[in-house]
């Protein structure tokens, strides 16, 4: 019986991540130079560096669960993995200054942890009721010896979006990574169930807030800076119950491409991440029906939802200087279904 099977249970994937050395990590012990013949290569089945992506994390069926919007990662069953115990940095964002919206949970938290471990100072925005999740992120960033700035507030307000950027710039001493990641998703079986107020809420959060934040941030962004948006496979293959949300993700994909053309000559790169089904509070606070939640991610070729931790390195790659030829691109991570 393998060590993983012995641990067992729903936390299996998380435990396996915590104990598995990271491929190519600088912390992985390297063999000293030797004149002896190299050891026989390990069979893939027993290599500690290889993990089967189909069994790495929990798969459906999941327990039905619901939380009041916007939900807390801490109350999810199972708890999502944001890379708390697994992400290892190697100085890829040394000295950089990042603002991440929705940085308390989900993809935003995974990016915040990874950015700090790569050497960046990080400001996170979140909705005020998400303070418990945000506190955990702030502590994790500080544990890396990086600056961690918490700026709660409602992104549906233009005045707040401007204040958010100004506070981040002043606390970080500048800004060169802007991640527009916050999002509002509510499932509605029919267009007739979507009130004007709900429609407006989705548009304000997903389309207006990035517009206001980018406008406020632009005067501070020097050549080499980056803007990253979180779009979705929904931009390309919309679900029938996500009429309003899916079109905002198409808009996000589209602004990434127009803005990349506009800002390319100024040396500012604009890119996006398109996740598939990822296990985050957005899904358990109205984003998915209970029926969909119980089978969540099961339809993908990998047979399970993704965890935020599995996307962290994409945000790092798009922010890092080494990715300097990528602009106007959308990088996907959707378990084999969906585009791009
Ligand atoms: P999440 O719930 O962890 O993150 C969404 C965050 O948005 C919240 O934590 C909250 O801080 C923020 N937010 C929403 N409305 C806000 C408001 N009015 N003011 C301030 N903050 C607000 O879920 P997530 O899935 O990590 O979402 C992050 C992004 O990923 C979103 O843009 C979402 O559309 C996108 N996405 C998610 C999935 C998925 O399956 N989970 C798939 C594709 C794309
Ligand atoms: Mg949250």
């Amino acid at each position: 019986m393998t060590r993983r099977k012995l641990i067992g249970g729903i936390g299996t994937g998380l435990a396996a991540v915590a104990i598995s050395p990271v491929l190519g990590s600088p912390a992985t012990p390297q063999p000293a130079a030797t004149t002896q013949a190299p050891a026989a290569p390990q069979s893939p089945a027993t290599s500690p560096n290889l993990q089967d992506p189909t069994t790495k994390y929990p798969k459906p069926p999941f327990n039905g669960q619901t939380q009041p919007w916007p939900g807390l990662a801490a109350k999810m069953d199972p708890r999502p993995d944001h890379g708390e115990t697994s992400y290892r940095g190697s100085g890829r964002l040394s000295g950089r200054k990042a603002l991440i919206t929705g940085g308390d949970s989900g993809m935003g938290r995974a990016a915040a942890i990874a950015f700090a471990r790569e050497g960046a100072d990080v400001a996170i925005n979140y909705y005020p009721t998400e303070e418990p999740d945000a506190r955990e992120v702030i502590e994790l960033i500080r544990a890396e010896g990086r600056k961690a700035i918490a700026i709660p507030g409602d992104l549906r307000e233009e005045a707040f979006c401007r204040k958010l950027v100004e506070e981040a710039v002043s606390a970080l001493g500048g800004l060169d990574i802007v991640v527009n990641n916050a999002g509002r998703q509510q499932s509605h079986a029919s267009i007739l169930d979507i009130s004007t107020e709900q429609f407006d809420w989705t548009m304000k959060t997903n389309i207006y807030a990035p517009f206001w934040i980018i406008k406020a941030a632009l005067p501070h962004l020097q050549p080499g800076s980056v803007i990253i948006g979180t779009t979705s496979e929904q931009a390309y293959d919309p679900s029938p119950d996500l009429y309003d949300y899916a079109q905002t993700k198409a808009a996000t994909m589209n602004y990434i491409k127009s803005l990349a053309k506009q800002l390319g000559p100024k040396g500012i790169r604009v890119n996006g991440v398109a996740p598939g089904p990822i296990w985050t509070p957005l899904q358990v606070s109205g984003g998915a029906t209970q029926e969909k939640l119980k089978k969540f991610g099961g339809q993908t070729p990998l047979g399970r939802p993704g965890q935020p931790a599995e996307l962290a390195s994409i945000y790092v790659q798009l922010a890092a200087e080494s990715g300097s030829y990528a602009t106007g691109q959308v990088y996907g991570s959707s378990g084999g279904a969906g585009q791009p």
Side-chain angles (χ1 to χ4, degrees):
M1 187 178 277
T2 66
R3 179 167 48 169
R4 194 125 55 82
K5 282 192 182 133
L6 272 172
I7 293 166
I10 208 87
T12 294
L14 305 187
V17 168
I19 57 176
S20 297
V22 174
L23 188 65
S25 156
T28 305
Q30 299 296 318
T34 168
T35 50
Q36 285 172 358
Q42 280 186 304
S43 108
T46 58
S47 167
N49 284 336
L50 269 188
Q51 271 189 293
D52 181 343
T54 66
T55 54
K56 186 173 173 183
Y57 282 112
K59 51 171 57 183
F62 295 106
N63 291 330
Q65 55 199 287
T66 180
Q67 292 188 39
W69 179 87
L72 290 175
K75 291 190 175 165
M76 286 180 71
D77 165 28
R79 279 192 66 150
D81 180 11
H82 308 87
E84 287 88 344
T85 59
S86 58
Y87 192 90
R88 300 205 195 172
S90 56
R92 298 188 70 198
L93 302 177
S94 190
R96 300 286 297 273
K97 300 167 195 304
L99 168 62
I100 305 173
T101 64
D104 59 300
S105 59
M107 267 67 84
R109 182 200 284 223
I113 293 168
F115 284 8
R117 292 191 183 162
E118 296 289 357
D121 292 331
V122 184
I124 59 165
N125 161 255
Y126 48 94
Y127 198 71
T129 56
E130 296 175 300
E131 195 62 38
D133 273 358
R135 280 295 118 207
E136 291 183 7
V137 180
I138 293 294
E139 275 167 36
L140 285 162
I141 298 169
R142 292 203 175 130
E144 299 304 314
R146 308 311 314 178
K147 265 192 212 165
I149 316 295
I151 314 178
D154 190 341
L155 292 173
R156 287 172 292 173
E157 293 165 15
E158 180 173 9
F160 172 71
C161 288
R162 283 203 301 265
K163 187 164 143 281
L164 168 65
V165 172
E166 293 316 316
E167 274 187 31
V169 168
S170 120
L172 298 172
L175 187 64
D176 52 58
I177 302 172
V178 179
V179 183
N180 284 305
N181 164 75
R184 163 90 173 166
Q185 173 186 324
Q186 295 286 299
S187 163
H188 290 108
S190 164
I191 186 173
L192 299 176
D193 301 334
I194 305 175
S195 65
T196 298
E197 189 207 6
Q198 282 294 328
F199 189 81
D200 199 48
W201 185 336
T202 305
M203 299 298 144
K204 281 273 159 44
T205 314
N206 299 5
I207 299 181
Y208 279 77
F211 169 61
W212 292 325
I213 288 169
I214 292 167
K215 277 178 47 165
L218 206 48
H220 302 283
L221 302 182
Q222 303 296 315
S225 300
V226 300
I227 297 168
I228 300 170
T230 304
T231 170
S232 171
E233 63 178 2
Q234 291 292 323
Y236 311 90
D237 185 15
S239 299
D241 64 330
L242 296 176
Y243 168 82
D244 54 343
Y245 171 84
Q247 62 185 283
T248 68
K249 293 294 150 176
T252 303
M253 177 274 290
N254 198 274
Y255 92 62
I256 285 160
K257 292 185 179 291
S258 73
L259 210 54
K261 291 175 185 163
Q262 190 182 123
L263 300 182
K266 297 185 196 307
I268 298 168
R269 298 188 294 114
V270 188
N271 292 294
V273 181
I278 313 297
W279 190 247
T280 69
L282 170 138
Q283 300 292 356
V284 301
S285 60
T289 60
Q290 291 302 304
E291 187 198 1
K292 190 169 172 184
L293 210 54
K294 287 176 191 163
K295 305 185 287 200
F296 198 62
Q299 79 286 4
T300 67
L302 295 185
R304 64 168 178 86
Q307 295 290 329
E310 298 181 279
L311 285 80
S313 62
I314 304 176
Y315 290 86
V316 171
Q317 173 65 19
L318 291 176
E321 208 279 317
S322 57
S324 47
Y325 200 57
T327 193
Q329 315 295 316
V330 176
Y331 289 10
S333 183
S334 57
Q339 297 168 313

